[in-house]
């Protein structure tokens, strides 16, 4: 099976309705091509995470192809703190990774957005809303959400806020994990949450440092 | 025109302005000592001859000033400076004697003879262009550069919010906060899932953030 950005993905032990998006390709610490998505997209409360290295029994990830989920990948490493919620998944034997994002093509490293970049046009390809375009509106200091079965709220800091001039959402439920790109296909971040008006993404620079990965493929 | 080119032009015009003032003084002195140039003629043809004489006097005076000051026009437009004979003689460089240099000195002489008023006006124009260019560059910089002061205010508001963050996190369903900048006005949005805090709690935070715009919002954040 070909694992491509924009496909629906889910922890194999979770209901198929609670899916996220295969974000895009990155290189792990060993230089191997893996896919990046959000931690909460592959999170499973029974995973018994040990320092974010998943229990192999619950690390299986199913990818949707033609509306049918098949286990084709596994969580390799994940990370969650005050800034980051992300996981790297690798292809299981017999499956391959397609690094090209539909419509946009291959990524071209990362871009560190700053306040000076407000107004920059961004785009993403997600499993729910496919290709959408929006503008970088600034950084959101702190927003949070509850993980499945958890009662406390996990807050993330310094999120990229994206809005659209039309008011149509840049991302919706299920788009989490999608790569947010600028016009030069540089990765600005990955979608982590949204509220119908704005979408929020984790900064690519933070992902690179926390997960020891490279966006330059 | 690049800033360097404008600076060079400014230097050339300034040098020619100063030299033209010196040349004018010299030609005036000669004119006052020469009767057929000093006194106006009655006949138009005679007056024409006098004017022609003054013109040639100005050119010759200009050329002499250019020669003694080392104002080779080609060196001026190339390097924006005068030829220093002493240095050239010291270095046994006699290139200033070549025809090109002499032509350059003659050209400078002709330009110097245009008079100090001409070069003063020219200097005014160059300065006006430089000022216009500077003001345009400043306007462009202001248009392109984002308003940094609003970011400073935003950071202050974020810091103020961080101070009471442990208290905010104790509020039921506190989802986080955001700072919006709309038309240069900052508004702090305190976001909540399902329900907003009670009136008393809202009042406490409104008092704490007095002077800042604060809104309490319900959010339907999804992951």
């Amino acid at each position: 099976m070909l694992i491509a950005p924009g496909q629906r993905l889910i922890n194999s032990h979770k209901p198929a309705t609670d899916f996220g998006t295969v974000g895009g390709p990155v290189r792990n610490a060993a230089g191997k091509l893996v896919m990046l998505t959000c931690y909460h997209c592959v999170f499973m409360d029974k995973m018994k995470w040990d320092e974010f290295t998943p229990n192999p029994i619950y690390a299986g990830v199913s990818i949707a192809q033609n509306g049918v989920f098949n286990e084709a990948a596994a969580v390799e490493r994940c990370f969650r703190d005050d800034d980051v919620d992300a996981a790297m998944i690798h292809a299981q034997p017999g499956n391959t990774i397609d690094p090209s994002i539909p419509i946009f093509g291959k990524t071209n490293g990362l871009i560190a957005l700053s306040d000076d970049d407000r107004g920059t046009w961004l785009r993403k390809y997600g499993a729910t809303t496919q290709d959408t375009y929006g503008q970088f509106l600034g950084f959101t200091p702190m927003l949070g959400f509850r993980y499945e079965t958890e009662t406390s709220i996990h807050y993330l800091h310094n999120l990229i806020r994206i809005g659209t001039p039309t008011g149509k959402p840049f991302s919706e439920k299920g788009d989490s994990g999608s790569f947010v790109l600028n016009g030069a296909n540089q990765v600005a971040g990955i979608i982590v949450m949204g509220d119908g008006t704005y979408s929020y993404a984790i900064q690519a620079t933070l992902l690179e440092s926390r997960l020891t990965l490279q966006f330059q493929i | 025109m690049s800033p360097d080119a404008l600076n060079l032009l400014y230097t050339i015009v300034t040098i020619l302005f100063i030299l033209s003032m010196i040349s004018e003084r010299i030609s005036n002195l000669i004119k006052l000592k020469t009767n057929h140039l000093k006194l106006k003629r009655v006949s138009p043809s005679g007056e024409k001859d006098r004017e022609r004489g003054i013109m040639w006097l100005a050119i010759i005076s200009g050329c002499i000033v250019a020669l003694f000051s080392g104002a080779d026009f080609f060196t001026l437009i190339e390097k924006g400076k005068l030829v220093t004979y002493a240095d050239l003689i010291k270095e046994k460089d006699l290139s200033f004697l070549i025809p090109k240099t002499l032509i350059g000195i003659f050209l400078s002489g002709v330009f110097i003879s245009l008079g100090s008023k001409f070069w003063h006006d020219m200097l005014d124009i160059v300065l006006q262009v430089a000022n216009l260019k500077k003001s345009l560059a400043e306007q462009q910089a202001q248009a392109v550069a984002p308003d940094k002061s609003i970011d400073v205010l935003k950071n202050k508001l974020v810091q103020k919010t961080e101070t009471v963050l442990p208290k905010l996190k104790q509020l039921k369903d506190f989802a986080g906060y955001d700072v919006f900048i709309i038309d240069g006005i900052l508004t702090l949005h305190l976001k909540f899932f399902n329900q907003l805090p009670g009136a008393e709690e809202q009042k406490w935070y409104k008092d704490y953030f007095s002077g800042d715009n604060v809104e309490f919002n319900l959010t339907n954040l999804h992951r």
Side-chain angles (χ1 to χ4, degrees):
Chain A
M1 180 180 175
L2 204 59
I3 302 168
Q7 285 174 321
R8 290 180 176 186
L9 93 171
I10 188 124
N11 186 297
S12 300
H13 295 266
K14 280 167 76 176
T17 49
D18 201 10
F19 62 86
T21 296
V22 178
V26 290
R27 292 213 177 266
N28 65 12
K32 192 182 154 195
L33 201 64
V34 294
M35 286 295 195
L36 190 67
T37 187
C38 283
Y39 170 79
H40 70 256
C41 296
V42 292
F43 174 77
M44 174 79 187
D45 64 323
K46 290 177 185 170
M47 286 176 103
K48 296 175 183 169
W49 305 91
D50 177 18
E51 295 295 319
F52 298 114
T53 302
N55 180 338
I57 299 168
Y58 295 103
V61 173
S62 294
I63 312 284
Q65 202 169 43
N66 302 322
V68 180
F69 279 100
N70 287 304
E71 189 166 302
V75 179
E76 178 174 299
R77 182 170 149 68
C78 40
F79 199 85
R80 183 177 74 162
D81 66 3
D82 286 348
D83 297 316
V84 164
D85 168 294
M88 288 190 283
I89 58 166
H90 62 252
Q92 286 188 1
N95 301 282
T96 50
I97 281 175
D98 175 4
S100 186
I101 297 176
I103 299 173
F104 309 137
K106 286 189 178 174
T107 56
N108 179 26
L110 64 79
I111 180 170
L113 292 175
S114 70
D115 283 323
D116 294 348
D117 296 315
R118 278 193 291 251
T120 299
W121 281 93
L122 299 170
R123 53 193 186 167
K124 73 100 191 61
Y125 191 94
T128 305
T129 55
Q130 281 82 46
D131 58 311
T132 54
Y133 299 78
Q135 280 177 294
F136 169 52
L137 302 176
F139 293 104
T140 293
M142 192 185 92
L143 278 183
F145 57 84
R146 283 189 181 89
Y147 281 73
E148 181 189 346
T149 69
E150 287 187 359
T151 50
S152 62
I153 295 167
H154 180 71
Y155 298 102
L156 290 168
H157 296 81
N158 301 313
L159 296 164
I160 295 168
R161 187 171 73 232
I162 306 158
T164 60
T166 57
K168 192 183 165 191
F170 183 71
S171 70
E172 286 183 11
K173 195 171 166 58
D175 285 328
S176 282
S178 311
F179 271 21
V180 177
L181 309 169
N182 67 2
N185 266 12
Q186 292 169 304
V187 185
I190 61 170
I191 293 289
V192 66
M193 59 179 119
D195 60 11
T197 306
Y198 301 107
S199 295
Y200 302 92
I202 300 164
Q203 296 180 56
T205 45
L206 297 172
L207 292 163
E208 196 174 57
S209 59
R210 297 292 204 288
L211 279 95
T212 326
L213 56 83
Q214 283 190 339
F215 280 94
Q216 194 68 52
I217 55 164
Chain B
M1 188 180 280
S2 71
D4 285 348
L6 201 63
N7 279 341
L8 180 66
L9 184 65
Y10 175 74
T11 307
I12 294 169
V13 173
T14 307
I15 289 171
L16 291 174
F17 170 58
I18 294 165
L19 295 180
S20 65
M21 282 175 73
I22 296 168
S23 171
E24 262 179 13
R25 294 291 176 278
I26 292 168
S27 56
N28 264 341
L29 203 68
I30 295 167
K31 196 172 81 177
L32 291 172
K33 295 285 176 192
T34 315
N35 279 340
H36 73 277
L37 295 176
K38 180 183 166 186
L39 301 169
K40 274 198 170 187
R41 305 287 175 84
V42 181
S43 66
S45 61
E47 184 59 17
K48 278 277 177 199
D49 282 347
R50 191 181 78 94
E51 282 176 3
R52 207 173 292 126
I54 291 170
M55 187 191 77
W56 279 112
L57 176 63
I59 290 172
I60 292 162
S61 171
C63 287
I64 291 166
V65 169
L67 180 68
F68 280 95
S69 60
D72 166 22
F73 189 68
F74 300 117
T75 308
L76 264 181
I77 56 172
E78 195 182 332
K79 297 175 182 168
K81 64 175 192 179
L82 302 171
V83 174
T84 316
Y85 296 121
D87 290 348
L88 293 176
I89 291 165
K90 206 174 169 183
E91 292 167 14
K92 293 181 179 171
D93 180 358
L94 302 178
S95 61
F96 63 90
L97 293 176
I98 62 169
K100 188 189 167 193
T101 312
L102 296 175
I103 292 167
I105 285 170
F106 172 71
L107 280 174
S108 295
V110 173
F111 287 129
I112 289 168
S113 72
L114 293 171
S116 61
K117 191 185 177 309
F118 172 84
W119 289 110
H120 184 266
D121 292 349
M122 190 61 84
L123 201 57
D124 275 351
I125 293 168
V126 173
L127 286 173
Q128 275 176 13
V129 170
N131 286 339
L132 189 69
K133 205 171 163 62
K134 193 177 162 190
S135 108
L136 276 174
E138 280 173 1
Q139 279 177 13
Q140 278 175 352
Q142 277 178 358
V144 171
D147 188 356
K148 294 283 180 193
S149 58
I150 201 84
D151 287 328
V152 172
L153 291 173
K154 181 188 169 184
N155 288 339
K156 278 185 182 172
L157 188 53
V158 168
Q159 280 172 12
K160 199 173 176 182
T161 313
E162 291 287 322
T163 309
V164 287
L165 205 52
K167 189 175 163 69
L168 276 166
K169 280 182 178 176
Q170 284 176 6
L171 292 174
K172 193 176 180 323
D173 284 339
F174 176 62
Y177 72 98
D178 207 343
V179 179
F180 286 82
I181 305 167
I182 297 167
D183 295 331
I185 297 167
L186 289 173
T187 307
L188 174 69
H189 287 238
L190 299 173
K191 294 173 181 281
F192 295 84
F193 296 113
N194 308 318
Q195 61 175 36
L196 294 175
E200 265 187 39
E201 281 162 330
Q202 285 195 29
K203 186 181 178 303
W204 189 92
Y205 286 102
K206 278 179 178 165
D207 289 345
Y208 175 77
F209 289 108
S210 62
D212 298 308
N213 296 316
V214 185
E215 284 184 15
F216 293 81
N217 304 134
L218 283 175
T219 182
N220 56 347
L221 274 168
H222 57 75
R223 51 191 169 83

